[in-house]
Amino acid sequence: MRADAQRNYEMLVEHAKLAFAEHGVDASLDAIARRAGVASGTLYRHFPTRLDLVEATLSHQIADLIGLGHHLLLPTHDPFTALSTWLHATLHHALTYRGLSATLLNTTLDHTPETPSPWHKELLDTTTHLLNRARAANTITTEATDTEILKTVTAIAWATRNAPDQADRLLTLLLNGLRYGR
Amino acid sequence: MRADAQRNYEMLVEHAKLAFAEHGVDASLDAIARRAGVASGTLYRHFPTRLDLVEATLSHQIADLIGLGHHLLLPTHDPFTALSTWLHATLHHALTYRGLSATLLNTTLDHTPETPSPWHKELLDTTTHLLNRARAANTITTEATDTEILKTVTAIAWATRNAPDQADRLLTLLLNGLRYGR
DNA sequence: ACCTGAACACCGTTCAAGT
DNA sequence: ACCTGAACACCGTTCAAGT
């Protein structure tokens, strides 16, 4: 990549982080480009879709989350606790920016024509594995599908986007509903 | 009201219903006005905010829902069953138009500066009463507040907006989590 | 190879002028 | 008293022209 292009890329990610943190993932792309000191066309060249830009600002955090997921899949962990830890972490991730929960729902869990990003696929896969382990250990109901459970987690993130302190309590409620023999 | 104004009002409500049903509550107001055969200013004269128009299209359904609420508060009903019936009905109401769940969350459950509409106040009040009865009968946990529970119901509506057949199952999961001595 | 910025499309909202 | 529709502001997205 040419040096000026590299610099533009970094400036865009940096200002996107600020804008997303302040206004949520629906922040004006035009304003991001302006504050990063580039024209709008340059933003679109580097990030064809808004999702590309969102993912770029979250790349480290996503890597961490996926790392945690792999860790929790080790057989040393109690299946239900591992599932619980994972869903809480996913919930917090979805709360990073206002509107990120909607992005997650749309791109991972609703039938989108586009291929889901590797990030989203990994999220769903990890959840599936942890749920399967919890089901195999006979600790949770089989009443709800993987997708439905992950949907509910994003829904909780969405519902508590202006009061994130309530998020964990609502997820605990969901886990109570899932759990057998409480 | 002048005869032409009356007619414009009705035409606007009628076309708003169609547009909301097709595109959700975020449908273009301009397009609604155009198809109703009036200019945009006329729409704003009758319905200063989008919420006013949304409520107008739902007035009958809202009346029905509130009627059901009053009915369920009669002491003849089992407290938990009444609560369950009410939350399922509220859930279905929130699913009427795509995006209505978001409206409900914003105007009823998040700190909005504006005074909530009588409709929303009634919704929250009825839920509070039914929850209190269920708690007094010792059938549900006291771990979650009224607002949090209603939030979760709107969240489920939001999460299943493209797959409404899953909505009731997810609400059942929530009720399982709430219920004591399942 | 990359960037600029005008151009187009679309929307919400207001308000002076008209009836 | 009510309606019209132009005007303004804001945004996303594309693409011809420039370097």
Side-chain angles (χ1 to χ4, degrees):
Chain A
M1 183 149 31
R2 226 167 64 180
D4 58 340
Q6 173 79 33
R7 170 149 183 79
N8 283 342
Y9 182 99
E10 284 160 11
M11 289 296 278
L12 281 167
V13 171
E14 196 172 327
H15 282 87
K17 274 186 193 171
L18 294 174
F20 291 157
E22 189 174 5
H23 304 291
V25 292
D26 293 324
S28 161
L29 295 180
D30 208 64
I32 291 172
R34 212 180 316 118
R35 289 193 210 173
V38 302
S40 51
T42 303
L43 187 151
Y44 282 93
R45 161 168 273 267
H46 285 295
F47 307 101
T49 73
R50 180 182 293 271
L51 181 61
D52 293 321
L53 184 54
V54 171
E55 287 185 2
T57 66
L58 290 171
S59 59
H60 287 78
Q61 191 171 319
I62 291 169
D64 286 352
L65 185 62
I66 291 175
L68 173 66
H70 287 154
H71 174 68
L72 289 170
L73 277 168
L74 297 178
T76 35
H77 292 93
D78 170 71
F80 188 85
T81 310
L83 174 66
S84 171
T85 305
W86 169 251
L87 290 183
H88 277 280
T90 304
L91 177 62
H92 285 141
H93 175 67
L95 283 164
T96 308
Y97 302 134
R98 205 151 31 83
L100 184 58
S101 51
T103 304
L104 235 66
L105 183 73
N106 291 331
T107 60
T108 318
L109 303 168
D110 275 354
H111 33 67
T112 23
E114 318 106 295
T115 46
S117 71
W119 160 43
H120 290 127
K121 192 173 161 7
E122 195 106 25
L123 241 173
L124 187 53
D125 284 353
T126 305
T127 307
T128 300
H129 287 141
L130 286 166
L131 278 168
N132 282 343
R133 274 189 56 206
R135 288 207 190 91
N138 219 30
T139 56
I140 62 165
T141 178
T142 53
E143 277 301 298
T145 68
D146 304 353
T147 307
E148 287 169 355
I149 292 170
L150 203 47
K151 259 191 196 183
T152 309
V153 174
T154 68
I156 290 171
W158 176 80
T160 57
R161 65 190 187 278
N162 292 326
D165 51 296
Q166 302 176 346
D168 284 314
R169 311 238 315 281
L170 295 185
L171 178 52
T172 302
L173 222 58
L174 170 66
L175 287 164
N176 272 353
L178 284 173
R179 186 166 208 164
Y180 274 142
R182 159 157 48 105
Chain B
M1 182 149 30
R2 227 166 63 178
D4 59 340
Q6 173 78 33
R7 170 149 182 80
N8 283 342
Y9 182 98
E10 284 159 11
M11 289 296 277
L12 281 167
V13 171
E14 196 171 328
H15 282 87
K17 273 185 193 170
L18 295 173
F20 292 155
E22 189 174 4
H23 304 291
V25 292
D26 293 323
S28 160
L29 295 180
D30 208 64
I32 291 172
R34 210 179 319 120
R35 288 193 210 174
V38 303
S40 51
T42 303
L43 187 151
Y44 282 94
R45 159 168 276 267
H46 286 295
F47 309 100
T49 72
R50 181 182 292 269
L51 180 60
D52 292 321
L53 183 55
V54 171
E55 287 186 1
T57 66
L58 290 172
S59 59
H60 288 78
Q61 192 172 318
I62 290 169
D64 287 352
L65 185 62
I66 291 175
L68 173 66
H70 288 152
H71 174 69
L72 290 171
L73 277 167
L74 297 177
T76 36
H77 292 92
D78 169 70
F80 188 85
T81 310
L83 174 66
S84 171
T85 305
W86 169 251
L87 290 183
H88 276 281
T90 304
L91 176 63
H92 284 142
H93 175 68
L95 282 166
T96 308
Y97 302 134
R98 206 149 34 82
L100 184 58
S101 50
T103 304
L104 235 66
L105 182 73
N106 291 333
T107 61
T108 319
L109 303 168
D110 274 355
H111 34 68
T112 24
E114 318 106 293
T115 48
S117 73
W119 161 43
H120 290 127
K121 193 174 159 8
E122 195 105 25
L123 242 173
L124 187 54
D125 285 353
T126 305
T127 307
T128 300
H129 288 142
L130 286 164
L131 279 168
N132 283 343
R133 273 189 57 207
R135 287 205 191 92
N138 220 29
T139 56
I140 63 165
T141 178
T142 53
E143 276 302 299
T145 69
D146 303 355
T147 307
E148 286 168 357
I149 291 169
L150 203 47
K151 258 191 197 184
T152 310
V153 174
T154 66
I156 290 170
W158 175 79
T160 57
R161 65 191 188 277
N162 291 326
D165 53 296
Q166 303 175 344
D168 284 314
R169 310 238 315 281
L170 295 186
L171 178 52
T172 301
L173 222 59
L174 169 67
L175 286 164
N176 272 355
L178 284 173
R179 186 166 208 165
Y180 274 142
R182 156 158 46 106

